[in-house]
Amino acid sequence: MLLVKLTMLRNLDVSVKCLALTISFIFLFFVASAQDNSPYSRYGLGNQTPTTNVTNRGMGGVAAAYNDGYTVNYANPASFSFFQSSQEPGSRKLNSGRVVFNVGADGQGRTITDREGQAKFTSPNILFSHVMVGVPLRKNWGMALGIRPITSISYKIQNVGNKYDPNSGQLIDTSTTLYEGQGGAYLGSLGTAVKFKTGKTQYLSLGINGGYMFGSRDYNSRLSLFNDSTAYASAHFEHKTSMAGLYFDAGLQYHLKASEKIYVGLGAYGNWKQKINTNRNTVAQTYTYSNETGYIAIDTATFTSNEKNNFMYPSSITGGFTIQKMGSMLENEAGWMFGADFTHNNWDEFRFEGKVDSAVKSNWQVKVGAEFHPAPKKNVFSRTSYRIGFFTGPDYIYTHRTATPVLGITAGLGLPIANYSMMSRQSSMINLSFEYIKRGNNSNVIKENLYRLSVGFSLTDLWFGGKTKYYED
């Protein structure tokens, strides 16, 4: 049997698996993504989704100096040059390279509590996290592409009370107002990075991402008045905005060998202020509602469509370091990594349709994390990666002139999947991360507790680009 046939079948098998996983996760996302309820997502561009891969989330989100041949670290494009590869002797042609496929999903539960602690609401949710593919193009040169959400909007708030005339201050009647919002922003990206040797054991990598940001922001308000003797028509106000535009970010990493077994990494990544185009439709109308027919419009007071404008997406910068001791199977030694990042987001630059948003403010975040690899033995626990970390800092959403503190505690596992094919050069891993995030305190109108369990699949395959050798049976 020809070796090339085995290689083609093996590559086809991993491609089918990747496609099936991708379709499953996207289907799961569209089926179960509309159950969340977070009043904070009403402001700015909504709640920010995790900015790092599942692997990094277990370590508090540390990513600036992190790279791994089995993980697409999409937070810092400079990491794309570290995908495993080798070149033919005496040539720049790629002899072999490990292609990396990452896909993930988040299951989370959010509990909302008001300031007095008299009302509590819990909402479960399942969200698509990311699909990323990393490919080595040459030795020290790689690329990655994929798609992921960057913000989410999902809230439903009902306010019951008296309605007053805004001009005279006189009581009109008892009213119920329902505020609803859906939407979010997504980013499809394509990036590349090149690594340079700057010393005997020093390497500098430079990377850049180009992408397309798109999404929507749909806000609805429904007002109903109640009176024993007077019948009122209910009012509906809707502002629906679509957004789309090009997006760019960049990063760098510098790695050196500090001693025989200790490696140090420095990294930074960020984006500059960018303009994203918007298209807004608005409507104000009266309506009726019944359980059988739902909402039915009666009369439209105002309607506008295709109002083109833009918003300014703010700049951001993150810098950090890692210190790593490499484990050794030959010497039966454990390995570990420790790292920290600092992020500053300049949300004071944010303008939506030319207007300043008083509900957002520039913020910072500190992330600290560690990873431990036990000395390898003949059991699954010794081949598992263990991760822990935390992050803290104020949220970018700043309501009622009050800062919203955020504290997150994280833990994670990297579980290798056994491969029973002796011919296969595939390597797979399941990454799990758990995050407990506390948002707000007694100074805020609303407090949130979020529990997030993220599952990521990392599938890799060693593909050959050089000459193929043939072996007959």
Side-chain angles (χ1 to χ4, degrees), residues 112-178:
I112 305 169
T113 309
D114 68 2
R115 187 174 353 206
E116 289 77 23
Q118 297 178 357
K120 184 178 289 188
F121 178 81
T122 299
S123 59
N125 198 15
I126 298 176
L127 291 171
F128 160 72
S129 174
H130 62 274
V131 172
M132 301 296 298
V133 178
V135 181
L137 302 175
R138 289 285 188 272
K139 186 174 177 60
N140 300 327
W141 179 26
M143 64 167 284
L145 70 158
I147 186 170
R148 60 187 177 91
I150 54 177
T151 66
S152 66
I153 300 172
S154 184
Y155 66 86
K156 188 173 184 178
I157 309 166
Q158 182 171 277
N159 182 33
V160 180
N162 293 328
K163 194 71 175 177
Y164 295 89
D165 188 312
N167 298 318
S168 65
Q170 302 244 340
L171 175 66
I172 299 175
D173 250 318
T174 303
S175 69
T176 297
T177 306
L178 180 64

Side-chain angles (χ1 to χ4, degrees), residues 28 104 111 212 230 240 259 282 297 317 334 358:
L28 187 67
T111 300
Y212 187 71
T230 305
K240 187 172 184 178
S259 64
T282 63
I317 183 71
S358 61

Side-chain angles (χ1 to χ4, degrees), residues 16-307:
V16 171
K17 291 178 180 178
C18 292
L19 180 61
L21 271 173
T22 304
I23 294 173
S24 299
F25 271 81
I26 293 176
F27 174 77
L28 187 67
F29 164 64
F30 282 110
V31 169
S33 62
Q35 301 175 27
D36 198 12
N37 189 357
S38 173
Y40 282 117
S41 69
R42 184 181 179 185
Y43 305 101
L45 290 179
N47 287 336
Q48 293 178 301
T49 59
T51 59
T52 59
N53 204 311
V54 177
T55 301
N56 305 93
R57 294 178 207 173
M59 305 191 314
V62 173
Y66 182 90
N67 61 69
D68 177 45
Y70 297 84
T71 301
V72 181
N73 175 15
Y74 48 78
N76 190 346
S79 65
F80 301 162
S81 66
F82 289 88
F83 297 133
Q84 182 182 342
S85 62
S86 64
Q87 62 189 36
E88 294 182 0
S91 170
R92 295 179 62 86
K93 187 176 181 181
L94 188 69
N95 181 56
S96 66
R98 185 170 293 280
V99 178
V100 182
F101 177 83
N102 289 173
V103 60
D106 303 330
Q108 62 186 34
R110 188 189 307 273
T111 300
I112 305 169
T113 309
D114 68 2
R115 187 174 353 206
E116 289 77 23
Q118 297 178 357
K120 184 178 289 188
F121 178 81
T122 299
S123 59
N125 198 15
I126 298 176
L127 291 171
F128 160 72
S129 174
H130 62 274
V131 172
M132 301 296 298
V133 178
V135 181
L137 302 175
R138 289 285 188 272
K139 186 174 177 60
N140 300 327
W141 179 26
M143 64 167 284
L145 70 158
I147 186 170
R148 60 187 177 91
I150 54 177
T151 66
S152 66
I153 300 172
S154 184
Y155 66 86
K156 188 173 184 178
I157 309 166
Q158 182 171 277
N159 182 33
V160 180
N162 293 328
K163 194 71 175 177
Y164 295 89
D165 188 312
N167 298 318
S168 65
Q170 302 244 340
L171 175 66
I172 299 175
D173 250 318
T174 303
S175 69
T176 297
T177 306
L178 180 64
Y179 302 97
E180 292 182 281
Q182 300 85 32
Y186 303 83
L187 179 65
S189 63
L190 172 65
T192 187
V194 179
K195 182 172 58 178
F196 305 92
K197 189 172 183 179
T198 59
K200 187 176 180 180
T201 58
Q202 293 91 37
Y203 295 90
L204 173 66
S205 179
L206 303 176
I208 187 169
N209 264 326
Y212 187 71
M213 184 186 296
F214 63 97
S216 63
R217 196 170 78 160
D218 188 4
Y219 293 165
N220 289 271
S221 300
R222 298 184 184 274
L223 172 64
S224 300
L225 297 174
F226 301 96
N227 187 283
D228 294 337
S229 58
T230 305
Y232 295 99
S234 298
H236 171 220
F237 307 91
E238 180 180 24
H239 295 261
K240 187 172 184 178
T241 305
S242 61
M243 58 188 78
L246 296 178
Y247 171 91
F248 298 92
D249 59 38
L252 63 86
Q253 289 187 345
Y254 181 73
H255 290 265
L256 60 93
K257 188 175 182 180
S259 64
E260 183 179 355
K261 296 181 180 179
I262 301 296
Y263 294 80
V264 175
L266 303 174
Y269 64 88
N271 65 275
W272 46 94
K273 182 173 69 172
Q274 296 168 71
K275 182 171 71 173
I276 307 297
N277 295 322
T278 62
N279 192 324
R280 180 161 58 95
N281 298 331
T282 63
V283 64
Q285 59 188 190
T286 56
Y287 72 94
T288 61
Y289 175 83
S290 71
N291 293 329
E292 292 77 18
T293 60
Y295 295 106
I296 299 177
I298 300 175
D299 187 27
T300 299
T302 61
F303 174 78
T304 62
S305 64
N306 298 321
E307 292 187 336

Side-chain angles (χ1 to χ4, degrees), residues 195-447:
K195 182 172 58 178
F196 305 92
K197 189 172 183 179
T198 59
K200 187 176 180 180
T201 58
Q202 293 91 37
Y203 295 90
L204 173 66
S205 179
L206 303 176
I208 187 169
N209 264 326
Y212 187 71
M213 184 186 296
F214 63 97
S216 63
R217 196 170 78 160
D218 188 4
Y219 293 165
N220 289 271
S221 300
R222 298 184 184 274
L223 172 64
S224 300
L225 297 174
F226 301 96
N227 187 283
D228 294 337
S229 58
T230 305
Y232 295 99
S234 298
H236 171 220
F237 307 91
E238 180 180 24
H239 295 261
K240 187 172 184 178
T241 305
S242 61
M243 58 188 78
L246 296 178
Y247 171 91
F248 298 92
D249 59 38
L252 63 86
Q253 289 187 345
Y254 181 73
H255 290 265
L256 60 93
K257 188 175 182 180
S259 64
E260 183 179 355
K261 296 181 180 179
I262 301 296
Y263 294 80
V264 175
L266 303 174
Y269 64 88
N271 65 275
W272 46 94
K273 182 173 69 172
Q274 296 168 71
K275 182 171 71 173
I276 307 297
N277 295 322
T278 62
N279 192 324
R280 180 161 58 95
N281 298 331
T282 63
V283 64
Q285 59 188 190
T286 56
Y287 72 94
T288 61
Y289 175 83
S290 71
N291 293 329
E292 292 77 18
T293 60
Y295 295 106
I296 299 177
I298 300 175
D299 187 27
T300 299
T302 61
F303 174 78
T304 62
S305 64
N306 298 321
E307 292 187 336
K308 300 186 183 303
N309 213 308
N310 59 72
F311 74 88
M312 300 304 299
Y313 190 78
S315 60
S316 175
I317 183 71
T318 298
F321 71 91
T322 58
I323 302 174
Q324 183 177 15
K325 176 185 179 296
M326 302 296 293
S328 174
M329 294 186 64
L330 296 177
E331 300 179 13
N332 198 35
E333 286 187 350
W336 52 264
M337 175 188 291
F338 173 80
D341 285 359
F342 179 82
T343 298
H344 181 266
N345 303 304
N346 196 7
W347 281 95
D348 290 344
E349 298 175 338
F350 179 70
R351 301 288 186 276
F352 201 92
E353 298 181 343
K355 298 178 182 178
V356 176
D357 191 339
S358 61
V360 304
K361 191 174 183 178
S362 295
N363 70 320
W364 56 267
Q365 191 173 70
V366 173
K367 312 168 190 176
V368 179
E371 182 179 53
F372 177 70
H373 303 273
K377 297 178 182 178
K378 294 182 179 180
N379 60 70
V380 66
F381 301 105
S382 67
R383 299 184 182 277
T384 298
S385 300
Y386 301 88
R387 306 175 182 119
I388 192 170
F390 75 91
F391 57 87
T392 187
D395 200 293
Y396 88 100
I397 294 174
Y398 188 83
T399 60
H400 302 283
R401 298 184 178 181
T402 305
T404 307
V406 176
L407 173 65
I409 300 173
T410 72
L413 296 173
L415 305 169
I417 300 176
N419 194 330
Y420 298 102
S421 173
M422 298 300 293
M423 293 295 298
S424 178
R425 288 180 170 83
Q426 299 173 13
S427 179
S428 303
M429 179 173 288
I430 298 177
N431 288 297
L432 303 174
S433 74
F434 175 79
E435 300 168 88
Y436 166 69
I437 303 172
K438 184 178 180 182
R439 191 180 190 188
N441 56 25
N442 292 333
S443 298
N444 301 105
V445 176
I446 292 176
K447 295 185 290 184

